[in-house]
Amino acid sequence: MAETSGAEHSETGERAVRRRLPPDERRRQIVDGAVAFFADVGIEGATRDLARRLGITQSLLFNYFATKEELVEAVYARVYLDRLSPDWPERLQDRSTPLRARLLAFYTEYSELIFQYEWMRIFMFSGLAGAALNRRYLDHLGKVILGPLLAELAESARSGPPPTMEDIWNLHGGIVYIGIRQHIYRMPCPDDPSVAITHAVDRFLYAFGLEAPSGAAAGVTASAARR
Amino acid sequence: MAETSGAEHSETGERAVRRRLPPDERRRQIVDGAVAFFADVGIEGATRDLARRLGITQSLLFNYFATKEELVEAVYARVYLDRLSPDWPERLQDRSTPLRARLLAFYTEYSELIFQYEWMRIFMFSGLAGAALNRRYLDHLGKVILGPLLAELAESARSGPPPTMEDIWNLHGGIVYIGIRQHIYRMPCPDDPSVAITHAVDRFLYAFGLEAPSGAAAGVTASAARR
DNA sequence: CGCAATATAGATCATTCGATCAAGAGCGAT
DNA sequence: ATCGCTCTTGATCGAATGATCTATATTGCG
């Protein structure tokens, strides 16, 4: 999270230098802080604690957001924004590139985007709360990413039963679960998930008669496939 | 959740008949209600709302649990209890049965145990809160189930790179993610996950040169493998 | 340099939270 | 029946919550 200014003090509340900031900059600082704060303690976190962490007073929050709910919405918007790159659909359907390379490129970039403390936790908090943005995101993911991905796989598949959407969700879930283990459950995880991602994608493709012969341990990994 | 008595009233608070219950029965009723309640609204849910849902007064809760935290611990204990059957380790290592059958039997039973609204959500809530029981459970799962499972797979694997713990977690995560989609995100899911589980297990085994030739669409599914 | 605009702070309100307590109500023993 | 034990209740406490308001301090502009 970008430190917008040097005015924040540590959470052990010694006095900070008072800083007057341009409104939009202050607003950005508050949203940034709120993202980090709510990711830690959940959306139910107290506005006073958030203010203390930001080094401002609680009442100031309400100068920028009429209600706490409005602030939470801003946090959701910030976190969900640009998390699904608009060019992924076409890149996933670019048949001049092998399907495996497309999959590896997508999941490498996607995992770098979402395997982050703030995103993972706020996504889970908002999911449990039934937030509208959460459902919209998952709908969009299914329609715009995983749907086309299924079509591509069905087109290329050379053996076995035809793939279903449930198979795609299984691939997706197995990969996303790395981030869940890391940031939700705080389990020790490999710092670079691309090896696990590569293996998961290869196992998946192999089952449909695609690429990755059994000895391909030295193949291109997801991290090296980054465009 | 078992309706312990007919005394509960609907949540729209019309007066209920007052019932005097034996202490342990009342306690059980409270824990049952608390499991369902906290699964819905999260651990931060108010004790007054829980009491209203149970058709009792809020103060009565504190006759059975000294603090809310104590009640929450009872909820955790109830939910986490017996969720990892003690005979799974040995059954997973019973080499008189094919590895595939062992895997399918395990994940069928396991998914039936955990793909439930209360479990899934309370597990996620407690995970986000960093509850000790959550870490203990995952430690235990890794050591007692997934560890032996890795050993079995490594023993049987006939091709490809040797399996790692990360591979096992990928299989596990892909399956568990079905429950997450269903109960955390409330997405529409197949009511019987055994087909998806079977395919996931078969893809996994196939990648290590085991069973499931490419045409095995009509094989034994997980639900039929139930012992 | 001085003034107006506004960012900021601290006190404060009403509500809700977990938790306590004395009084009342139900059930079993006699 | 009715007595007594204890389960249950409603009132209530102090702390914490979201939200408001007034007074002060700081900045930018002329």
Side-chain angles (χ1 to χ4, degrees):
Chain A
M1 267 319 91
E3 286 275 320
T4 305
S5 79
E8 295 93 2
H9 58 214
S10 75
E11 293 181 44
T12 62
E14 70 272 11
R15 207 65 184 73
V17 190
R18 182 155 127 182
R19 270 295 301 279
R20 180 198 185 96
L21 293 182
D24 46 350
E25 191 173 342
R26 176 70 79 186
R27 188 186 165 94
R28 206 164 44 79
Q29 177 211 24
I30 290 177
V31 175
D32 284 346
V35 166
F37 175 70
F38 288 139
D40 277 342
V41 306
I43 311 296
E44 320 267 356
T47 55
R48 278 177 179 80
D49 294 335
L50 168 58
R52 195 172 324 147
R53 187 190 273 216
L54 284 167
I56 62 178
T57 57
Q58 181 231 10
S59 58
L60 183 59
L61 293 174
F62 291 92
N63 274 9
Y64 289 88
F65 303 92
T67 68
K68 180 185 176 181
E69 189 182 338
E70 200 176 302
L71 170 59
V72 169
E73 288 301 319
V75 166
Y76 285 168
R78 157 74 58 92
V79 168
Y80 280 79
L81 193 68
D82 291 336
R83 205 62 68 152
L84 286 178
S85 186
D87 69 339
W88 275 335
E90 62 167 310
R91 284 172 59 202
L92 278 170
Q93 299 175 78
D94 169 25
R95 299 197 180 166
S96 69
T97 305
L99 181 56
R100 176 175 186 263
R102 282 180 270 160
L103 274 173
L104 291 184
F106 166 67
Y107 272 114
T108 301
E109 292 178 37
Y110 187 61
S111 67
E112 280 176 1
L113 270 182
I114 71 165
F115 286 4
Q116 293 178 10
Y117 184 81
E118 286 87 1
W119 158 261
M120 272 287 156
R121 293 179 67 88
I122 287 183
F123 185 83
M124 199 56 80
F125 277 123
S126 69
L128 281 164
L133 254 174
N134 198 278
R135 304 190 65 87
R136 285 227 320 263
Y137 177 90
L138 287 166
D139 274 6
H140 194 247
L141 176 72
K143 284 198 181 69
V144 160
I145 307 275
L146 302 187
L149 205 155
L150 171 63
E152 291 302 304
L153 180 68
E155 180 71 23
S156 310
R158 310 176 73 86
S159 68
T164 67
M165 201 60 193
E166 207 57 30
D167 294 323
I168 303 288
W169 276 113
N170 176 256
L171 169 69
H172 188 80
I175 291 174
V176 169
Y177 196 74
I178 299 172
I180 294 179
R181 279 193 294 144
Q182 182 176 6
H183 294 300
I184 311 293
Y185 303 147
R186 301 173 189 262
M187 296 175 70
C189 284
D191 28 53
D192 182 9
S194 46
V195 178
I197 291 176
T198 304
H199 289 169
V201 167
D202 279 341
R203 279 194 295 272
F204 191 75
L205 290 176
Y206 184 51
F208 293 98
L210 295 169
E211 339 226 0
S214 56
V220 177
T221 70
S223 63
R226 204 168 312 159
R227 56 161 180 178
Chain B
M1 243 10 44
E3 287 275 320
T4 304
S5 79
E8 293 93 1
H9 57 216
S10 76
E11 292 182 45
T12 62
E14 69 272 8
R15 206 63 186 75
V17 190
R18 179 153 129 185
R19 270 296 301 280
R20 182 198 184 96
L21 291 183
D24 45 349
E25 190 172 344
R26 176 69 82 187
R27 189 185 164 93
R28 205 164 45 78
Q29 177 208 27
I30 290 178
V31 175
D32 283 347
V35 166
F37 175 70
F38 289 138
D40 277 341
V41 307
I43 311 295
E44 319 267 356
T47 54
R48 279 178 177 79
D49 293 335
L50 167 59
R52 196 171 323 144
R53 187 191 275 217
L54 283 167
I56 62 176
T57 57
Q58 181 232 9
S59 55
L60 185 57
L61 295 175
F62 290 91
N63 273 11
Y64 291 87
F65 303 91
T67 68
K68 180 185 176 182
E69 190 182 335
E70 200 177 301
L71 170 59
V72 169
E73 289 301 320
V75 166
Y76 285 168
R78 159 73 60 94
V79 168
Y80 279 80
L81 195 66
D82 291 335
R83 205 61 71 151
L84 286 178
S85 187
D87 68 340
W88 275 334
E90 63 168 311
R91 284 172 59 203
L92 278 170
Q93 299 175 77
D94 168 24
R95 298 195 180 166
S96 69
T97 307
L99 181 55
R100 176 174 185 264
R102 282 179 269 161
L103 274 172
L104 291 183
F106 167 68
Y107 272 115
T108 301
E109 292 178 36
Y110 187 61
S111 67
E112 280 175 2
L113 271 181
I114 70 164
F115 287 4
Q116 292 179 9
Y117 184 81
E118 286 87 1
W119 157 261
M120 273 285 155
R121 294 179 67 87
I122 286 182
F123 185 83
M124 198 58 80
F125 278 123
S126 68
L128 281 164
L133 255 174
N134 198 277
R135 304 191 65 86
R136 284 228 318 264
Y137 177 91
L138 286 166
D139 275 5
H140 194 249
L141 176 73
K143 284 198 180 70
V144 160
I145 307 277
L146 302 188
L149 205 154
L150 172 62
E152 291 304 303
L153 180 68
E155 180 71 23
S156 310
R158 311 177 71 86
S159 67
T164 68
M165 202 60 194
E166 207 56 31
D167 294 323
I168 303 289
W169 275 113
N170 176 257
L171 169 68
H172 189 79
I175 292 174
V176 169
Y177 196 74
I178 299 172
I180 294 179
R181 280 191 294 144
Q182 182 175 6
H183 295 300
I184 311 292
Y185 303 147
R186 301 172 189 265
M187 296 175 69
C189 285
D191 29 52
D192 182 8
S194 46
V195 179
I197 290 176
T198 304
H199 289 170
V201 166
D202 280 340
R203 279 194 295 272
F204 191 75
L205 290 177
Y206 184 50
F208 293 98
L210 296 170
E211 339 226 2
S214 56
V220 178
T221 70
S223 63
R226 205 167 313 160
R227 56 164 177 175

